[in-house]
């Protein structure tokens, strides 16, 4: 199979994620879209690793997974706290941190 | 080229002359209240110690042949920079020797007198500390072997003068007078600083020996420039026209200060500078002429101011200006006059110190009143002060055989050798001296008592009258002693050179004419202020009297020529600073502030708009990369 197809798939997944982040209001959904973008990037890394015949891309993919796991822990904790105080998971409502 | 001898015997202690009073000043000023009790006595002892050492050195110097009397002592290398090397080195020759004795002996007497005069002052420890500092600086000034070290002493005496004029700084007038003296002196000091720079550029050295040795090789223009700059320096320090305005206000200081600094020693530093630099003035005719002109103008300014003031100290200050004018004139005459400038400086130092201390004794008995119109008839209650003041009076107006007669007459005689006009003017000045001094004595000690109600005059204590008596003895015999026993002309000749020229008047005629003028002036003074009642409030007076009461408009001239222009200049500079410099800086700050005020509106708090800008940024980066790749 042509490795370029993986790149195309990765780009499509990334775009879906990005658009999701921009248009959705529910924090959990936005969060999942972020995960989608990360995994799209991982797919591209692995595909490039395969195309170039070395392991660099795969190593980076592992790094991304570790960082994503940590990020999920912190992010979900924040979302849960916000939900507990405001009874809402909308990311537009908590806008006090501004000018 | 004179030869310079290394310091041996007592001369190896030249540095101690300066170090003693300096140590005294350090102990008194740094020791704080601990030294309150014994500090003043220590201050007196250090100066007396220097005086004793000075006398020992004089005896040793008198035992040497004349050509071996220039002693040099190098303490250490002080300044060493590329091309410039200056030693902390002292030069004791015949000229510095007489200055050392004048400073330390008159200084000792005035220190002793101050023990009585300042007895009740809470800050007298500080006073003695400053006096010691002054003596040290003045000795450094006259003992330096190069101009740079002289400059240090020059500034040191200026500092001490400033501190002591403003000693009673709670009085706004004293604080203002101190500032005035300091600032006007600064003008002269710039002259000395520039002169030293020109010397270094021209001769590559600032030691007396090098500068005077190479003076003949320099162009006359350079020497004239140096001479005029040195004259400017002398004008500042010696209160000569046009930098004379500070001396009258300097009388705000305690009277012993006026006697030591503003009559006997510091104000004569200008004369020392010119006489010391004789090798330069001998070769710069125009500079020497300027010296004579400045001296002559000041002789008359001082005498006229002295004739009009009712404040006894200011009248004496005018007289000091006038007498220093005589010395400066003599110094400008060249080798004919140098010796007599120093001769008059020495006698004047003694009799004027006596007069000032006498005035201080009078003030002490009159509740510090200085207005001569409220004095009168004090001869009955202050016998010793009256007698000593009267001897000083006879000395300053030049009645033989008192000290001033010999020195002033020599100057007048020398002036006639140079030109009859100078001589005639000096004789006229002597006449005015007779007038104002007679006026002062008549108003203070004779006539009717015009005392204020709560004033009970009394004679001062022995600690004050004994210095007066010693100075009165000095005023009587010093002239004859220096001339006939000390042979001052031969003594100073190796340093200053000496010359005589034919005079249009014989010596006897000079003496006769000047004595006649003095007696006429004195008689006018006695008649005007003894035969007639002295009014308690000053009459309006003639135009000249009113001008003289205002210091001949010296302050007004400074106000118009210097103070106002610099005031306006600073106003313009302030405006420029506010409008342009501050405006520019503040404008940038305001622009940045306004811009960031708008920029922060983008911090809207909506996470999704941040996400959008990140995406936009990422897209832009990608596009940019693609563009670069494609081109």
């Amino acid at each position: 199979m042509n490795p370029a197809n993986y790149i195309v798939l990765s780009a499509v997944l990334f775009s879906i994620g990005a658009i999701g982040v921009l248009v959705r209001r529910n924090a959990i959904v936005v969060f999942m879209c972020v995960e989608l973008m990360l995994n799209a990037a991982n797919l591209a890394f692995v595909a490039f690793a395969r195309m170039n015949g070395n392991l660099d891309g795969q190593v980076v993919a592992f790094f991304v997974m570790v960082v994503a796991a940590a990020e999920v822990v912190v992010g979900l904790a924040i979302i849960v706290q916000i939900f507990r105080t405001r009874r809402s998971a909308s990311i537009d409502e908590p806008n006090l941190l501004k000018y | 080229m004179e030869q310079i001898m290394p310091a041996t015997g007592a001369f190896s202690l030249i540095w101690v002359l300066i170090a003693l009073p300096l140590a005294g000043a350090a102990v008194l000023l740094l020791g704080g209240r601990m030294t309150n009790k014994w500090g003043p006595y220590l201050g007196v002892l250090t100066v007396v110690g220097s005086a004793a050492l000075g006398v020992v050195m004089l005896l040793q110097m008198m035992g040497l042949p004349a050509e071996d009397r220039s002693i040099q002592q190098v303490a250490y290398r002080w300044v060493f920079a590329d091309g410039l090397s200056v030693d902390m080195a002292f030069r004791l020759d015949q000229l510095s020797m007489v200055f050392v004795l004048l400073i330390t002996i008159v200084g000792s007497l005035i220190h002793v007198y101050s023990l009585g005069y300042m007895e009740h002052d809470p800050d007298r420890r500080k006073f003695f500390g400053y006096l010691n500092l002054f003596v040290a600086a003045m000795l450094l000034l006259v003992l330096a072997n190069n101009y740079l070290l002289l400059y240090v002493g020059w500034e040191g005496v200026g500092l001490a003068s400033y501190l002591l004029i403003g000693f009673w700084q709670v009085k706004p007038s004293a604080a203002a007078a101190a500032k005035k003296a300091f600032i006007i002196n600064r003008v002269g000091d710039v002259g000395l600083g520039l002169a030293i720079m020109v010397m270094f550029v021209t001769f590559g050295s600032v030691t007396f020996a090098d500068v005077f040795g190479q003076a003949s090789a320099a162009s006359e223009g350079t020497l004239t420039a140096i001479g005029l700059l040195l004259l400017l320096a002398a004008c500042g320090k010696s209160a000569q026209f046009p930098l004379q305005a500070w001396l009258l206000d300097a009388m705000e200081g305690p009277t012993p200060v006026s006697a030591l600094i503003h009559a006997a020693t510091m104000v004569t530093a200008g004369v020392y500078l010119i006489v010391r630099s004789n090798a330069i003035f001998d070769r710069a005719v125009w500079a020497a002429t300027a010296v004579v002109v400045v001296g002559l103008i000041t002789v008359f300014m001082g005498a006229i101011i002295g004739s009009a003031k009712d404040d006894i100290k200011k009248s004496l200050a005018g007289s000091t200006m006038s007498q220093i004018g005589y010395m400066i004139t003599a110094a400008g005459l060249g080798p004919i006059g140098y010796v007599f400038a120093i001769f008059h400086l020495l006698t004047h130092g003694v009799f004027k110190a006596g007069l000032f201390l006498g005035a201080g004794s009078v003030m002490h008995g009159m509740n510090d009143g200085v207005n001569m119109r409220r004095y009168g008839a004090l001869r009955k209650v202050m016998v010793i002060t009256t007698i000593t003041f009267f001897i000083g009076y006879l000395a300053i107006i030049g009645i033989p055989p008192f000290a001033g007669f010999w020195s002033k007459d020599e100057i007048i005689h020398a002036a006639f050798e140079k030109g009859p006009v100078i001589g005639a003017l000096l004789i006229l000045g002597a006449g005015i001296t007779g007038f104002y001094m007679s006026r002062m004595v008549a108003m203070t000690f004779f006539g009717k008592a015009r005392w204020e109600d709560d004033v009970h005059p009394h004679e001062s204590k022995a600690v004050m009258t004994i210095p007066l008596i010693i100075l009165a003895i000095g005023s009587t015999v010093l002239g004859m002693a220096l001339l006939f026993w000390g042979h001052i002309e031969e003594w100073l000749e190796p340093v200053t050179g000496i010359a005589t020229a034919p005079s249009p008047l014989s010596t006897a005629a000079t003496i006769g004419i000047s004595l006649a003028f003095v007696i006429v002036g004195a008689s006018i003074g006695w008649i005007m202020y003894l035969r007639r009642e002295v009014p308690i409030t000053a009459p309006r007076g003639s135009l000249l009297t009113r001008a003289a009461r205002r210091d001949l408009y010296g302050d007004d001239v400074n106000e118009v020529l210097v103070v106002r222009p610099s005031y306006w200049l600073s106003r313009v500079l302030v405006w420029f600073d506010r409008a342009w410099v501050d405006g520019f800086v503040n404008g940038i700050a305001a622009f940045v502030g306004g811009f960031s005020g708008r920029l922060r509106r983008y911090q809207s708090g909506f996470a999704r708009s941040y996400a959008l800008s990140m995406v936009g940024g990422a897209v832009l980066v990608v596009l940019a990369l693609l563009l670069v790749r494609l081109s």
Side-chain angles (χ1 to χ4, degrees), chain B residues 409-448:
Chain B
D409 193 71
E410 291 284 11
I411 291 182
I412 293 172
H413 192 72
F416 270 111
E417 289 175 4
K418 191 80 174 180
V421 181
I422 308 172
L425 286 171
L426 288 183
I427 285 185
L428 185 60
I432 306 178
T433 309
F435 169 74
Y436 66 71
M437 286 310 297
S438 304
R439 170 178 179 270
M440 187 185 298
V441 173
M443 282 173 94
T444 306
F445 297 103
F446 294 88
K448 287 207 186 84

Side-chain angles (χ1 to χ4, degrees), chain B residues 76 133 143 179 253 257 332 377 522 603 613:
Chain B
Y76 57 90
L133 181 67
L143 283 172
K179 279 189 283 183
V257 172
Q603 298 287 325
S613 52

Side-chain angles (χ1 to χ4, degrees), chain A residues 22 24 91-92 98-99, chain B residues 600-601 603-604 608 612:
Chain A
L22 291 180
R24 297 304 294 263
I91 62 162
D92 283 357
K98 62 180 176 186
Y99 55 84
Chain B
R600 71 181 190 174
R601 292 273 148 195
Q603 298 287 325
S604 58
R608 291 191 299 141
L612 181 62

